[in-house]
Amino acid sequence: MTRPEDAQRIADVVSDASGERLAVARTLGAGAPVLAFDVGGTDIKSALFDADGTALGLRRTPTPVADGDRTEVLIERLGVLAAELRADHPDVVPRAVGLVVPGIVDADAGLGVFASNLGWHDSPLRDLASAKLGLPVAFDHDVRAASWAEHRLGGARAYSNSVVLVIGTGIAGALLVGGEPYTAGGYAGEIGHSPIADGPVCACGARGCLEVVASAGAIARRYREATGITPDGAKDVIARAAAGDPVASEIWNSALDALTLSLAQLTAVVAPEAVVIGGGLSRAGGALFDELRARLAARLSFHRIPELVPAELSGNAGILGAALRARELA
């Protein structure tokens, strides 16, 4: 397959908003060759997985920008990326596509129900992508797909009942019950928008959402608002707290308390065997995991305390999940 003559090769995004560079993806194992796309508000990860499960041409490129609904420009971009991957690897013929996106997703209907940063409402993304790419498309929520990859390949593989929590600019989550994602029509797993206080107001319009207090983005923002100093992300605030900065300590402690409350609620209601934590904040190591373990044990009584496990697939969990879902169609 030749690349369209009028298509210029899309520039790569070297690192994401947190500064993380794209890492080599874990292999899937033997299976059908598939295309996979993990769409975010600012960038898209794309790759062609061969019959050995190796990610060929894995790259991160900008999500196209448009006023309002970005469905049309996104589908066009997927077509260009797919053409580039197939031209670069002509001996690998994909049999299906995996496409995962953020927001509220109805995977069964193939709809992007709502995504505030991408502008769509009830957008038939699965069918549009299938028509554009000429292949069957497995369509899912990005964090739900990431949780599936962690269940099959990463930190959640030992647990049939688990919660995957991604703590970055915001907080996203997914539930695995009996080894299968629990979706509730796309509305389940919005842990970042579970209320833990009466305020502040979240960008979603609700009050006191977990992510407005405890996400990496919120920790950095709250420190900047309190001091007038712009920290080098949440990791800088945590380091300042460890060094005795009282403002950083108060912000970090309140974030830990909010996360503990949310995990306690999940433990009481869902009783997961494990909570797998990924995203930029997970790289805080013991400052996060040891504190959460101690605070959760102190907060609860008869409950089964879940294991708190670092995610293993890092930023590639979404695209690995997309590829796994695509293989189910191939």
Side-chain angles (χ1 to χ4, degrees), residues 71-72 75 99 110 123-134 137:
T71 296
E72 183 176 352
I75 296 301
L99 171 61
S123 181
L125 293 167
R126 182 185 62 197
D127 291 347
L128 290 171
S130 182
K132 184 68 175 179
L133 303 174
V137 172

Side-chain angles (χ1 to χ4, degrees), residues 11-330:
D12 288 351
V13 174
V14 176
S15 60
D16 66 12
S18 69
E20 184 177 1
R21 299 178 73 89
L22 191 60
V24 175
R26 187 168 297 189
T27 60
L28 302 178
V34 294
L35 285 162
F37 301 97
D38 178 7
V39 176
T42 59
D43 57 57
I44 301 170
K45 295 185 187 72
S46 57
L48 175 62
F49 287 80
D50 66 13
D52 295 325
T54 301
L56 305 174
L58 175 64
R59 55 195 299 229
R60 180 164 45 202
T61 53
T63 304
V65 177
D67 292 333
D69 189 339
R70 287 201 248 176
T71 296
E72 183 176 352
V73 293
L74 172 64
I75 296 301
E76 288 299 317
R77 177 61 54 86
L78 296 182
V80 173
L81 290 170
E84 291 182 354
L85 284 165
R86 298 181 77 167
D88 289 344
H89 306 281
D91 295 335
V92 180
V93 181
R95 290 165 48 185
V97 179
L99 171 61
V100 301
V101 301
I104 304 298
V105 172
D106 186 337
D108 292 336
L111 298 176
V113 177
F114 174 71
S116 58
N117 58 350
L118 292 166
W120 55 57
H121 295 264
D122 294 324
S123 181
L125 293 167
R126 182 185 62 197
D127 291 347
L128 290 171
S130 182
K132 184 68 175 179
L133 303 174
L135 290 167
V137 172
F139 179 66
D140 208 346
H141 184 266
D142 54 355
V143 177
R144 197 155 57 233
S147 75
W148 184 243
E150 287 287 347
H151 174 63
R152 290 283 302 275
L153 306 170
R157 60 186 178 276
Y159 308 100
S160 295
N161 300 290
S162 62
V163 173
V164 175
L165 198 60
V166 180
I167 310 175
T169 304
I171 296 179
L175 309 179
L176 283 163
V177 179
E180 294 293 333
Y182 176 72
T183 65
Y187 288 91
E190 290 291 339
I191 298 165
H193 295 287
S194 59
I196 48 83
D198 288 332
V201 175
C202 179
C204 77
R207 299 194 317 275
C209 292
L210 176 65
E211 76 169 35
V212 82
V213 174
S215 67
I219 290 167
R221 172 186 52 76
R222 292 171 64 206
Y223 187 81
R224 183 181 66 252
E225 291 173 351
T227 66
I229 298 168
T230 300
D232 184 17
K235 63 181 179 181
D236 186 21
V237 178
I238 296 168
R240 289 169 185 259
D245 181 328
V247 176
S249 294
E250 190 282 326
I251 290 169
W252 179 228
N253 271 309
S254 65
L256 287 168
D257 283 343
L259 286 166
T260 300
L261 175 58
S262 187
L263 293 181
Q265 292 168 338
L266 286 166
T267 299
V269 176
V270 183
E273 299 165 83
V275 177
V276 180
I277 302 177
L281 203 63
S282 69
R283 292 192 288 275
L288 175 70
F289 287 90
D290 292 346
E291 282 290 335
L292 286 179
R293 289 186 187 104
R295 294 179 191 221
L296 194 57
R299 177 127 200 167
L300 298 174
S301 58
F302 65 89
H303 310 80
R304 179 178 68 185
I305 306 296
E307 297 287 334
L308 300 184
V309 181
E312 295 182 8
L313 305 179
S314 188
N316 288 326
I319 196 164
L320 289 168
L324 288 169
R325 287 304 190 197
R327 279 188 164 182
E328 295 172 7
L329 290 182

